[in-house]
């Protein structure tokens, strides 16, 4: 991609961009007219830019005719239900895991290898949960506009 | 005809969200190529924004955040369904249409091919400015580039698109036809 060769070119580029986007002031309009009067190449280029904009505007309108835009379906009540359900599920799972693990360890008939496997498995689950929680807490308070939300 | 912007959820972020959904719909449609899927994607992105409304900075525009979420969601959908982005349903086949309409359609097809031929950074800035009406400030935030770079990149993108259209063997510059007085109203 070529870079502007001079401040004049940069100025023209800025004016041309604004002209296509309909954001020229009267003063800038006069400046651009003066620049275009000196260069038929630039005048042709700007005409083509405007033609492209006209076409993309028509394409946009065509797409918008198919739009059925409604407010989001998830309301505050639904979000509260989601969060409380998640917390209830999490709490229940932790309670069951803890209860089951305790009974496994106090059962004298179970071989030590089963107890060891249970201990390792529970440790892994706890580590994964802690990691997920840490990542979530670290994300809190960061600039949401820089975060990739999925 | 523009789609009506529904702002029935109250003030503040909800009102901005209605406008963001309208603009985002165009982006989603151009990625997913299907009106229902585009609507669903906008719904999903809006729901995620509302779910994290506590993180919304009222001093900054909402659209860059909404766009980022929407883009990721749409790309996830495309990956999941392994759909080809170029599968087009938005523009009618010029064959069988009346002559004037056929010219318009040919022009739109040429511009679409031209945009798809651009390098990704140039293509994205064209999409943002031309199809989503993103302001220069919003473009700078979305692309994470200085505000001053937006103008020069936009100019380069338009220039590159013009070059592609001039060399388009199918369109033969048809998308650039039609002399008009230059003006500040596009």
């Amino acid at each position: 991609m070529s870079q502007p060769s001079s401040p004049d070119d940069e100025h023209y580029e800025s004016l041309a961009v604004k002209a296509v986007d309909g954001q020229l002031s009267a003063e800038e309009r006069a400046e651009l007219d003066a620049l275009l009067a000196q260069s038929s190449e630039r005048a042709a280029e700007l005409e083509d830019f405007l033609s492209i904009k006209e076409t993309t505007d028509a394409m946009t309108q065509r797409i918008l005719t198919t739009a059925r835009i409604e407010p989001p379906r998830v309301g505050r009540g639904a979000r509260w239900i989601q969060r409380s359900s998640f917390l209830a599920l999490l709490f229940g799972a932790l309670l069951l895991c803890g209860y089951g693990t305790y009974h496994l360890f106090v059962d004298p008939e179970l071989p030590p290898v089963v107890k060891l496997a249970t201990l390792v498995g529970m440790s892994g689950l706890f580590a994964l949960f802690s990691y997920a929680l840490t990542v979530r807490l670290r994300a809190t308070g960061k600039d949401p506009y820089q975060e990739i939300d999925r | 005809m523009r789609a009506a912007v529904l702002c029935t959820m109250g003030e503040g972020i909800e009102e901005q969200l209605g406008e963001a959904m309208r603009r985002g719909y165009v982006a989603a449609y151009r990625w997913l190529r299907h009106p229902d899927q585009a609507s669903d994607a906008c719904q999903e992105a809006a729901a995620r924004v509302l779910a994290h409304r506590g993180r919304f900075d009222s001093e900054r525009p909402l659209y860059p955040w909404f766009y980022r979420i929407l883009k990721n969601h749409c790309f996830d959908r495309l990956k999941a369904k392994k759909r080809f982005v170029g599968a087009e349903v938005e523009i009618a086949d010029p064959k069988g249409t009346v002559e004037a309409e056929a010219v318009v359609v040919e022009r739109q097809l040429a511009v679409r091919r031209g945009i798809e031929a651009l390098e990704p950074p140039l293509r994205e800035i064209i999409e943002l400015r031309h199809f989503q009406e993103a302001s220069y400030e919003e473009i700078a935030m979305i692309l994470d580039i200085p505000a001053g770079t937006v103008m020069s990149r936009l100019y380069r993108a338009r220039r590159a698109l013009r070059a592609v259209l001039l060399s388009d063997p199918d369109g033969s510059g048809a998308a650039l036809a039609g002399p008009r007085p230059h003006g500040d109203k596009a």
Side-chain angles (χ1 to χ4, degrees):
Chain A
M1 283 177 266
S2 61
Q3 296 297 319
S5 56
S6 72
D8 280 350
D9 286 338
E10 281 187 34
H11 188 53
Y12 159 70
E13 291 174 8
S14 170
L15 292 175
V17 166
K18 285 184 176 179
V20 175
D21 295 332
Q23 297 187 8
L24 281 181
S25 66
E27 188 182 337
E28 289 171 327
R29 171 82 271 161
E31 284 182 53
L32 181 60
D33 283 342
L35 286 170
L36 295 180
Q38 295 167 10
S39 168
S40 58
E41 192 180 327
R42 283 177 170 173
E45 181 182 72
L46 185 57
E47 280 192 15
D48 287 344
F49 287 174
L50 289 167
S51 177
I52 290 169
K53 182 71 164 57
E54 193 176 278
T55 303
T56 55
D57 282 350
M59 292 165 77
T60 304
Q61 294 308 311
R62 197 164 191 153
I63 291 171
L64 282 172
T65 58
T66 68
R68 291 190 304 278
I69 304 166
E70 298 169 359
R73 297 182 194 106
V74 180
R76 290 182 184 182
R79 285 202 309 277
W80 184 85
I81 290 171
Q82 279 180 355
R83 286 179 183 173
S84 54
S85 303
F86 175 74
L87 285 175
L89 190 68
L90 187 66
F91 183 71
L94 284 175
L95 208 61
L96 275 175
C97 286
Y99 182 77
T101 306
Y102 169 76
H103 275 275
L104 277 172
F105 272 94
V106 297
D107 188 346
E109 292 182 5
L110 276 178
V113 66
V114 174
K115 293 181 179 179
L116 183 65
T118 306
L119 183 66
V120 172
M122 286 299 131
S123 304
L125 266 179
F126 183 74
L128 279 175
F129 174 72
S130 304
Y131 174 73
L133 198 63
T134 308
V135 169
R136 185 68 191 158
L137 287 174
R138 276 183 189 160
T140 306
K142 278 190 178 174
D143 184 355
Y145 294 82
Q146 293 298 322
E147 184 182 333
I148 305 295
D149 286 283
R150 289 195 181 269
Chain B
M1 183 185 75
R2 281 185 179 260
V5 180
L6 301 177
C7 300
T8 58
M9 295 172 288
E11 299 292 320
I13 188 172
E14 286 85 358
E15 282 193 342
Q16 288 192 54
L17 198 52
E19 176 63 13
M21 287 175 76
R22 187 188 66 78
R23 293 162 63 189
Y25 175 83
V26 180
Y29 190 104
R30 290 182 58 76
W31 287 319
L32 302 171
R33 307 291 184 188
H34 195 281
D36 292 341
Q37 290 189 20
S39 293
D40 286 349
C42 283
Q43 280 281 334
E44 183 64 30
R48 290 183 193 185
V49 165
L50 285 179
H52 298 93
R53 62 195 301 154
R55 291 152 59 188
F56 173 57
D57 181 355
S58 59
E59 298 296 313
R60 302 167 78 175
L62 173 71
Y63 190 68
W65 186 25
F66 179 82
Y67 173 82
R68 200 183 299 259
I69 294 171
L70 180 68
K71 183 179 177 182
N72 286 330
H73 180 68
C74 289
F75 281 29
D76 283 348
R77 279 188 176 216
L78 287 171
K79 279 182 206 165
K81 296 185 177 179
K82 296 181 180 173
R83 289 192 60 188
F84 176 51
V85 181
E88 183 65 52
V89 293
E90 85 184 47
I91 297 170
D93 188 337
K95 296 182 188 70
T97 58
V98 294
E99 192 175 343
E101 176 70 5
V103 170
V104 172
V105 170
E106 285 288 2
R107 192 172 289 184
Q108 293 185 1
L109 285 169
V111 169
R112 194 194 71 201
R113 282 194 300 270
I115 291 171
E116 287 174 357
L118 295 177
E119 294 173 30
L122 302 184
R123 189 191 314 148
E124 185 162 32
I125 202 167
I126 289 281
E127 291 279 351
L128 286 167
R129 182 61 213 161
H130 284 236
F131 293 98
Q132 299 165 52
E133 305 160 16
S135 67
Y136 301 143
E137 182 195 4
E138 288 173 337
I139 293 172
M141 291 178 71
I142 289 169
L143 301 181
D144 199 19
I145 56 177
T149 308
V150 172
M151 304 288 271
S152 57
R153 188 179 293 183
L154 193 50
Y155 176 79
R156 286 206 313 274
R158 285 171 175 163
R159 192 166 184 170
L161 179 56
R162 177 181 183 245
V164 171
L165 292 174
L166 284 172
S167 62
D168 182 5
D170 296 327
S172 305
L176 304 175
R180 64 179 55 71
H182 58 78
D184 55 359
K185 295 289 178 193

